[in-house]
């Protein structure tokens, strides 16, 4: 659908006729019913353009919107004239839309959560980014900064305003800088992409937000389809630059139909907002869920542990998220090239505590296993996890990782996309992450692909889980020259929970119900909840410097003859266990 067609249909929709033609399927639509449905076609789900004020009515709680005045500038720095003087175009746009410019700013709430909203209106000179639009956005960002309130931007634009020349170009830098200040202040930013969003807006504030949501079918890109086809002389895919295309290619987090927008935004805002009533934090240590003394665990056959860890019925990351978290929003994509379905990440609440959760996802059926790449993340998966961890650090949210993977994906594409670099970057990032990190090996913990999510303040594992430098089969093939020697290799590698606790690689073991986690997923989830609550109760009171120092010290001491001393603050609630780590070197 072309930009010109959208403009025409938007104008027709506002003409007041009783019947309209759908811009997607051509069906006849009764105007009042169409408006009540949020301007979405009931037959093809085409999302029609909306005015800025329609957007505010759709998104904000009734009666909560308060406009933020930004004086419109009549400057014409180039004294520009094409077929008409620029000043005349501005005057006509104001008369036809009732707006001062192509963007408006307002305060308001979404299901009680405060937010500053900047909304663009494509009717006004194609939503082009000129000096006043840049000023409206920047003032909105500065208001969000002063009030420490999340910023929501709703974009609809053809790009930078040519009639203002390089001054319009400078708005890309100006608005990007404003978002950078919100990053530094730890304030959530959300971008809602509507159709179309191109050029300078797409290459600045539309894609710099922490979370990018798109309406179905919305197009986003730097250059438009026609320009690209004329330049490179290639036929582009039918869905090129659409929300669905961008979700697959890792650019947007979520495609949200219009009727779900408020609920999706409210979940995000509730997790990140610093609300006056505060967030409840659970207290107390785990009573029975975590075993920290290896002598209290039974000796197990290592190969039997491997087989138990791989059972398809064991709860997955998504299973645990469904049983443990409230208000969960999954975030997708590495913002570079793709989304990895083998790794799930997002924001939610654990018993009221806002958290970021990242985990590998295998699945339970043959189809899901194939779709999830058998739980083996690609570089895009590790880059997605890094993006969510940085967001957690920005918002001050603890990070929980759930690990069940045979290892990082070893394919050609993974090497082309620098799998080793992606894993290394995660390790470095986690070493200095200034929020609590709790890692749990729930099934298989395979090699560096698992460690890339397990550089944590507390490393726990389920009783039937395994954690190793290499799979037992791989070790047997390399050292025994016989894959059938896998049971022998598993025993030699000491990959079961009892041995790993003794070696100090893990800090505690979460018991499983009789028959294993797959026999009672809900019971296992209850034990995991108790273990996570206890770990967070110990870690949340620690200041950032002490937290990072202790985490680095924990991993620094592996492979040394004596434990490395750790500075202890008065608020430190967790005693180190140096003897266990000394034992690991003997």
């Amino acid at each position: 659908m072309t930009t010109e067609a959208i403009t025409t249909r938007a104008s027709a929709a506002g003409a007041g006729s009783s019947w309209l033609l759908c811009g997607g399927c051509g069906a006849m639509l009764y105007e009042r019913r169409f408006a009540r449905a949020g301007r979405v076609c009931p037959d093809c789900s085409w999302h029609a353009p909306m005015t800025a004020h329609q957007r505010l009515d759709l998104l904000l709680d009734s009666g909560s919107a308060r406009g933020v005045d930004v004086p419109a500038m009549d400057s014409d720095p180039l004294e520009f004239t094409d077929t008409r003087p620029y000043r005349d175009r501005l005057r006509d746009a104001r008369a036809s839309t009732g707006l001062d410019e192509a963007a408006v700013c307002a305060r308001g709430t979404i299901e009680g959560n405060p937010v500053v909203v900047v909304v663009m209106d494509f009717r006004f000179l194609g939503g082009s980014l000129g000096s006043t639009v840049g000023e409206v956005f920047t003032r909105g960002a500065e208001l969000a900064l002063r009030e420490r309130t999340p910023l929501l931007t709703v974009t609809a634009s053809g790009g930078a305003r040519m009639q203002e020349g390089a001054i319009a170009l400078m708005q890309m830098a100006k608005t990007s800088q404003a978002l950078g200040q919100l990053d530094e202040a730890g304030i959530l930013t959300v971008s809602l992409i509507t159709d179309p969003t191109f050029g300078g807006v797409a290459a600045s504030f539309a894609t710099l937000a922490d979370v990018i949501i798109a309406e179905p079918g919305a197009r986003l890109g730097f250059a438009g389809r026609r320009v690209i086809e004329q330049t490179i002389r290639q036929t582009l895919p039918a869905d090129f630059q659409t929300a669905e295309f961008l979700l697959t290619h890792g650019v947007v987090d979520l495609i949200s139909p219009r009727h779900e927008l408020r609920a999706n935004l409210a979940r995000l805002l509730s997790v990140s907002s610093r609300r006056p009533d505060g967030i409840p934090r659970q207290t107390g240590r785990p009573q029975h869920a975590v075993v920290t003394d290896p002598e209290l665990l039974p000796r197990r056959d290592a190969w039997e542990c491997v087989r138990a860890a791989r059972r398809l019925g064991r709860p997955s990351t998504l299973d645990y998220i469904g049983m443990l978290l409230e208000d969960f929003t999954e975030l997708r994509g590495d913002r570079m090239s793709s989304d990895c379905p083998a790794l799930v990440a997002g924001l939610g609440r654990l018993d009221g505590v806002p958290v970021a959760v990242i985990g590998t996802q295998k699945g339970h059926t043959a189809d899901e296993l194939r779709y999830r790449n058998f739980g083996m993340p690609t570089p895009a998966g590790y880059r997605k996890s890094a993006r969510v961890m940085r967001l957690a650090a920005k918002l001050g949210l603890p990070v929980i990782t759930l690990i069940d993977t045979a290892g990082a994906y070893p394919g050609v594409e993974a090497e082309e996309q620098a799998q080793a670099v992606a894993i290394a970057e995660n390790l470095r990032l986690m070493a200095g992450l200034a929020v609590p990190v709790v890692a749990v090996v729930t099934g298989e913990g395979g090699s560096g692909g698992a460690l890339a999510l397990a550089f944590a303040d507390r490393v726990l594992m389920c009783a039937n889980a395994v954690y190793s430098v290499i799979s037992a089969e791989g070790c047997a093939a390399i050292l025994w020259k016989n894959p059938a020697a896998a049971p022998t290799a598993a025993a030699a590698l000491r990959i079961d929970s009892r041995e790993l606790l003794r070696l100090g690689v893990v800090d505690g073991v979460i018991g499983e119900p009789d028959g294993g986690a797959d026999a009672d997923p809900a019971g296992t989830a209850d034990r995991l909840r108790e273990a996570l609550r206890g770990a967070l109760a110990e870690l949340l009171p620690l200041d950032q410097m002490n937290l990072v120092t202790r985490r680095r010290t924990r991993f620094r001491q592996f492979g040394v003859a004596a434990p490395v001393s750790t500075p202890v603050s008065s608020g430190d609630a967790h005693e180190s266990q140096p003897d266990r780590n000394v034992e690991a070197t003997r």
Side-chain angles (χ1 to χ4, degrees):
M1 190 184 307
T2 66
T3 299
E4 291 81 0
I6 291 173
T7 306
T8 302
R9 289 171 187 134
S11 300
S17 59
S18 297
W19 294 90
L20 308 169
L21 281 179
C22 171
C25 64
M28 293 290 292
L29 303 173
Y30 184 57
E31 185 174 15
R32 291 184 180 178
R33 185 177 302 161
F34 182 56
R36 287 197 299 270
R39 298 178 55 78
V40 177
C41 175
D43 296 328
C44 71
S45 297
W46 177 65
H47 283 52
M50 300 184 81
T51 69
H53 292 298
Q54 286 172 336
R55 286 282 176 192
L56 292 173
D57 290 342
L58 173 75
L59 296 174
L60 297 181
D61 296 339
S62 178
S64 72
R66 291 175 292 156
V68 176
D69 290 331
V70 179
M73 293 177 282
D74 290 319
S75 62
D76 182 7
L78 308 184
E79 298 183 351
F80 193 94
T81 299
D82 42 63
T83 58
R84 299 177 61 204
Y86 175 44
R87 289 182 183 273
D88 290 350
R89 291 189 181 277
L90 281 175
R91 184 183 62 248
D92 291 349
R94 287 167 181 160
S96 64
T97 64
L99 300 175
D100 291 332
E101 253 295 348
V104 298
C105 180
R107 292 185 183 93
T109 59
I110 299 178
E111 295 188 9
N113 299 283
V115 66
V116 174
V117 187
V118 176
V119 184
M120 304 189 73
D121 196 316
F122 194 82
R123 298 174 304 155
F124 197 107
L125 297 182
S128 50
L129 176 60
S131 54
T132 301
V133 172
E135 185 66 13
V136 170
F137 176 86
T138 302
R139 291 203 186 188
E142 290 170 346
L143 176 62
L145 181 64
R146 286 196 305 273
E147 299 185 353
R148 301 196 63 79
T149 302
L151 175 69
L152 168 63
T153 308
V154 184
T155 61
S157 175
R161 189 169 296 176
M162 292 177 286
Q163 294 92 336
E164 294 188 17
I167 300 300
L169 186 67
M170 294 304 105
Q171 304 310 308
M172 294 172 62
K174 173 179 173 177
T175 55
S176 300
Q177 170 184 279
L179 279 178
Q181 290 178 289
L182 293 179
D183 288 339
E184 294 166 3
I187 296 170
L188 178 72
T189 55
V190 180
S191 180
L192 173 58
I193 306 298
T194 74
D195 191 60
T197 298
F198 282 109
V201 171
S204 58
F205 57 89
T207 52
L208 285 178
D210 298 317
V211 180
I212 301 177
I213 302 174
E215 287 192 333
R219 294 167 300 154
L220 168 73
F222 185 55
R225 182 188 188 97
R226 205 178 334 175
V227 172
I228 295 173
E229 287 184 328
Q230 291 173 353
T231 302
I232 66 175
R233 306 296 180 185
Q234 289 183 5
T235 301
L236 300 174
D239 66 345
F240 184 67
Q241 294 181 322
T242 63
E244 294 73 16
F245 177 92
L246 297 168
L247 184 70
T248 302
H249 288 81
V251 178
V252 304
D253 289 287
L254 174 68
I255 297 175
S256 178
R258 205 165 275 171
H259 70 276
E260 297 177 0
L261 273 172
R262 277 174 49 81
N264 287 328
L265 290 168
R267 279 196 299 272
L268 280 168
L269 296 173
S270 71
V271 171
S272 65
S273 296
R274 292 160 174 83
R275 299 177 67 167
D277 53 350
I279 301 299
R281 285 185 173 174
Q282 303 297 329
T283 59
R285 295 171 179 266
Q287 299 300 313
H288 307 292
V290 178
V291 176
T292 57
D293 182 354
E295 297 305 319
L296 298 179
L297 296 172
R299 295 182 184 275
R300 301 275 306 281
D301 178 80
W303 184 243
E304 288 302 315
C305 290
V306 172
R307 296 177 62 185
R310 292 175 177 173
R311 290 206 293 255
L312 286 181
R314 291 181 69 84
S316 68
T317 291
L318 286 175
D319 293 328
Y320 284 125
I321 286 173
M323 290 185 282
L324 297 180
L325 296 189
E326 314 98 42
D327 297 330
F328 180 73
T329 300
E330 183 176 353
L331 305 180
R332 295 180 173 88
D334 64 351
R335 292 284 201 271
M336 293 176 61
S337 62
S338 62
D339 180 50
C340 174
L343 193 140
V344 174
L347 307 180
R349 292 181 187 275
L350 175 69
D351 291 348
V353 179
V355 295
V357 176
I358 301 165
T360 54
Q361 176 72 16
K362 284 184 178 178
H364 303 296
T365 66
D367 287 343
E368 188 179 5
L369 285 166
R370 283 191 294 270
Y371 172 68
R372 299 286 181 180
N373 207 28
F374 295 88
M376 295 184 291
T378 63
Y382 292 111
R383 292 184 177 116
K384 173 169 63 174
S385 70
R387 182 171 74 84
V388 174
M389 282 189 277
R390 291 190 184 98
L391 175 58
K394 169 182 170 176
L395 299 177
L397 307 182
V399 174
I400 295 169
T401 65
L402 303 176
I403 301 156
D404 182 12
T405 179
Y409 180 63
V412 173
E413 299 89 346
E415 295 302 319
E416 290 175 342
Q417 297 166 19
Q419 181 73 283
V421 175
I423 291 171
E425 291 283 0
N426 262 28
L427 293 173
R428 179 170 62 182
L429 170 65
M430 296 185 80
L433 210 61
V435 291
V437 184
V438 181
V440 184
V441 182
T442 61
E444 283 188 281
S447 191
L451 180 61
L453 299 177
F455 199 134
D457 302 293
R458 296 288 180 275
V459 182
L460 309 174
M461 68 186 298
C462 292
N464 288 331
V466 294
Y467 191 12
S468 177
V469 67
I470 190 172
S471 69
E473 295 90 340
C475 179
I478 293 170
L479 298 182
W480 275 264
K481 313 299 183 186
N482 180 10
T488 303
L493 288 168
R494 299 177 184 252
I495 61 179
D496 61 281
S497 58
R498 185 181 191 276
E499 287 300 306
L500 290 165
L501 182 60
R502 184 183 65 81
L503 292 169
V505 172
V506 300
D507 300 300
V509 175
I510 303 170
E512 297 187 24
D514 293 341
D518 46 324
D520 184 5
T524 306
D526 288 341
R527 298 182 188 206
L528 177 58
R529 179 196 301 274
E530 191 176 349
L532 293 172
R533 286 178 55 173
L536 292 179
E538 293 177 344
L539 295 170
L540 283 170
L542 302 182
D543 62 85
Q544 293 180 1
M545 183 176 294
N546 194 31
L547 191 71
V548 172
T549 299
R550 293 189 62 84
R551 186 186 311 139
R552 290 174 172 170
T553 300
R554 183 191 187 282
F555 286 87
R556 168 67 178 86
Q557 61 195 5
F558 287 115
V560 298
V564 178
S565 61
T566 305
V568 179
S569 74
S570 58
D572 191 354
H574 181 76
E575 296 297 327
S576 60
Q577 298 176 328
D579 293 340
R580 185 190 302 170
N581 294 293
V582 173
E583 181 68 23
T585 66
R586 293 175 182 169

